[in-house]
Amino acid sequence: MKVDVLLGLQWGDEGKGKVVDVLTPNYDVVARFQGGPNAGHTLEFEGQKYVLRSIPSGIFQGDKVNIIGNGVVLDPSLFKAEAEALEMSGHPLKERLHISKKAHLILPTHRILDAAYEAAKGKSKVGTTGKGIGPTYTDKVSRNGLRVGDILHNFEEKYAAAKARHEDILKSMNYEYDITELEKQWLEAIEYLKEFHLVDSEHEINNLLKEGKTVLCEGAQGTMLDVDFGSYPFVTSSNTICAGACTGLGIGPNKIGEVYGIMKAYCTRVGAGPFPTELFDETGKKIRDLGHEYGAVTGRERRCGWIDLVALKYAIMVNGVTKLIMMKSDVLDDFETIKACVGYKIGGQEIDYFPFDIKEDDIEPVYVEMPGWKTDMTKFTSENEFPEEFNAYIDFLETQLETPIKIISIGPDRDQTIVRYTE
Ligand code: GDP
Ligand code: IMO
Ligand code: MG
């Protein structure tokens, strides 16, 4: 009986997809527990690149069961496009992918509402991915949502009622839109969805655990985008933290084993909101170029900066992280010096915690600067090859974060992954 959780500790895009794929051979089941197609999880192996949005990243490794849990919000159209593309590329998934009947459906009008709310916010907009995430979770919590299981009985009626409610809101906002094409595709995709195993995934997972099977829960987004603990209101609309795996899959907290927290060797953010270590200079541009920091879902430029240990300590605390995984170390291969933020200065006063009302303008990061390693690490196969300066960087991070770094990623490919054995 064992459930491990793997989740992002920053503002998303830490490299969760790659690592879930690497770890999948150690598990029987891989399950997504929250978020929806706002996620873009990239995997690379055998010269191919795949971007997954709603389908768990365990789908490529043998005959594992992959589950889309109740905590996820699912857009049938985007799901159909994603699933068909995978099937076309020789990865059949109808037998292996199980979808919770309790997962909520993203309706075409949810996407329109997402755009309308963003437009209404004007300058203070969140910069959402535009996938209807916020409005769908809003309907879930206000007890107005439609769930995957609803497509099996009297669906037309339920859909018409939900759509009419949304149309009233959009009318009251004077928001112009046309959903004809979007809706046509969406209704076709509802039929496609029926071809999958629609299950009570909480029973399935708990029964598998009873049989001694192991589960890896795959987080989406990151802790600083968590609706409770992130940089609110510039967050997503779900609990991205470890507790989300319990509510998003129906797993008791006593079943959770390892909590893997993923971070980049630096930090990025897409969309609006505070980002204390953001770099607006040539260094930030260099990180963006070397790290190919452009969104997997929207293609937007990712904002880049140095690693933020204040935010990371907070993320480790609220998740109960037991092991760290550091991604994209190779992106810093060619820097004279590397910086790590160890505190914030606000109004001349230094603090070492993430403040309630964080304002970008009056926050100044306090940095420790270390020598860079100036070595191409992308072809390394063991930690024994790590340069001295890189070892000093990871030692420093482990000491500051009081958590061991167990996996180091040195490139996007499945093979560019180094497991550390030293304590
Ligand atoms: P996720 O949303 O957390 O799964 O991360 P994304 O897929 O959105 O973004 C991570 C990006 O970094 C993808 O393009 C990956 O292919 C790439 N990537 C992952 N690990 C590494 C690494 O160690 N080095 C480099 N250079 N790229 C990586
Ligand atoms: P993965 O799983 C990075 C950000 C958006 C926006 C905010 C709210 O690939 O790491 P939403 O559409 O969720 O209402 O947008 O959250 N965001 C992400 N940023 N990676 C993601 O997912 C994200 N999912 C949402 O940019 O700032
Ligand atoms: Mg991503």
Side-chain angles (χ1 to χ4, degrees):
M1 181 181 80
K2 187 175 144 219
V3 181
D4 292 343
V5 181
L6 185 144
L7 42 79
L9 297 179
Q10 296 165 322
W11 277 280
D13 301 329
E14 295 88 350
K16 299 172 290 289
K18 168 182 163 165
V19 175
V20 168
D21 171 62
V22 168
L23 294 178
T24 295
N26 305 334
Y27 296 89
D28 301 299
V29 180
V30 178
R32 274 276 305 268
F33 57 90
Q34 47 68 234
N38 48 349
H41 294 181
T42 315
L43 292 80
E44 283 190 43
F45 56 90
E46 293 159 9
Q48 295 291 321
K49 180 169 164 173
Y50 302 90
V51 179
L52 299 175
R53 292 170 152 195
S54 302
I55 295 171
S57 302
I59 205 76
F60 297 107
Q61 299 268 22
D63 266 349
K64 310 290 178 174
V65 175
N66 280 258
I67 294 179
I68 296 179
N70 56 279
V72 171
V73 288
L74 193 74
D75 181 326
S77 293
L78 296 176
F79 170 75
K80 179 169 178 268
E82 186 180 335
E84 282 180 342
L86 282 186
E87 296 232 315
M88 292 266 287
S89 64
H91 298 95
L93 37 92
K94 287 217 172 102
E95 285 311 310
R96 290 185 287 137
L97 182 64
H98 300 180
I99 304 171
S100 168
K101 285 194 266 186
K102 295 191 174 74
H104 277 247
L105 290 171
I106 302 177
L107 274 47
T109 38
H110 280 134
R111 272 164 82 168
I112 309 289
L113 282 167
D114 194 353
Y117 289 138
E118 281 285 86
K121 276 182 179 257
K123 270 195 189 140
S124 56
K125 69 177 183 181
V126 175
T128 71
T129 58
K131 299 289 178 278
I133 305 298
T136 306
Y137 277 115
T138 302
D139 274 354
K140 172 178 176 172
V141 174
S142 65
R143 298 160 295 190
N144 286 306
L146 289 187
R147 298 182 293 174
V148 167
D150 286 324
I151 68 174
L152 304 173
H153 311 283
N154 298 333
F155 183 64
E156 275 176 30
E157 219 174 283
K158 294 177 207 164
Y159 172 65
K163 181 181 157 189
R165 208 170 42 76
H166 293 162
E167 283 175 333
D168 283 347
I169 302 172
L170 288 162
K171 204 168 155 197
S172 73
M173 295 175 79
N174 290 322
Y175 193 78
E176 302 271 328
Y177 62 97
D178 177 6
I179 56 160
T180 323
E181 191 49 34
L182 208 59
E183 186 179 46
K184 186 170 160 276
Q185 285 173 9
W186 192 86
L187 290 169
E188 280 167 18
I190 289 285
E191 294 309 310
Y192 178 73
L193 197 55
K194 289 181 185 163
E195 296 171 21
F196 283 78
H197 289 286
L198 308 181
V199 299
D200 293 305
S201 59
E202 65 278 29
H203 286 295
E204 184 178 7
I205 287 200
N206 283 290
N207 286 337
L208 286 165
L209 286 171
K210 263 193 201 149
E211 287 168 22
K213 301 280 197 274
T214 53
V215 180
L216 178 63
C217 305
E218 173 179 2
Q221 291 78 55
T223 302
M224 301 314 287
L225 289 170
D226 180 275
V227 67
D228 280 276
F229 299 105
S231 47
Y232 193 89
F234 299 99
V235 293
T236 190
S237 302
S238 63
N239 278 120
T240 61
I241 60 164
C242 183
C246 296
T247 56
L249 289 167
I251 294 172
N254 57 339
K255 306 270 188 343
I256 307 284
E258 300 289 353
V259 181
Y260 292 104
I262 298 210
M263 61 199 189
K264 285 179 184 169
Y266 49 95
C267 194
T268 63
R269 171 163 206 169
V270 209
F275 178 6
T277 60
E278 181 169 12
L279 294 167
F280 299 93
D281 56 6
E282 282 304 306
T283 308
K285 189 175 175 309
K286 185 171 168 184
I287 295 178
R288 182 176 309 116
D289 289 345
L290 292 172
H292 305 293
E293 294 295 357
Y294 298 90
V297 172
T298 57
R300 288 180 291 177
E301 254 187 20
R302 292 179 184 149
R303 301 154 65 190
C304 297
W306 295 116
I307 199 163
D308 182 342
L309 303 182
V310 179
L312 278 172
K313 278 181 195 170
Y314 181 70
I316 289 168
M317 177 182 81
V318 296
N319 285 300
V321 170
T322 58
K323 289 183 176 151
L324 289 168
I325 299 175
M326 187 165 88
M327 310 300 291
K328 304 193 91 159
S329 314
D330 55 296
V331 174
L332 301 186
D333 278 355
D334 188 31
F335 286 75
E336 287 301 329
T337 58
I338 311 285
K339 287 186 187 175
C341 168
V342 292
Y344 301 146
K345 235 183 215 169
I346 301 175
Q349 261 207 313
E350 198 170 320
I351 58 166
D352 63 358
Y353 58 89
F354 204 81
F356 169 77
D357 199 7
I358 184 160
K359 294 206 176 55
E360 280 170 284
D361 300 347
D362 64 1
I363 193 156
E364 191 193 325
V366 179
Y367 288 115
V368 167
E369 190 162 4
M370 281 157 279
W373 42 94
K374 303 283 281 176
T375 309
D376 176 3
M377 298 209 297
T378 54
K379 297 202 173 52
F380 285 179
T381 53
S382 132
E383 61 180 319
N384 299 329
E385 295 168 87
F386 288 159
E388 197 184 307
E389 295 84 354
F390 182 68
N391 278 330
Y393 186 55
I394 48 183
D395 279 354
F396 176 76
L397 297 182
E398 286 185 325
T399 308
Q400 288 280 320
L401 300 172
E402 297 177 344
T403 315
I405 302 178
K406 281 294 174 191
I407 298 175
I408 303 267
S409 179
I410 49 165
D413 195 273
R414 196 187 258 175
D415 293 335
Q416 293 171 298
T417 314
I418 295 186
V419 179
R420 292 179 76 216
Y421 295 100
T422 44
E423 284 305 315

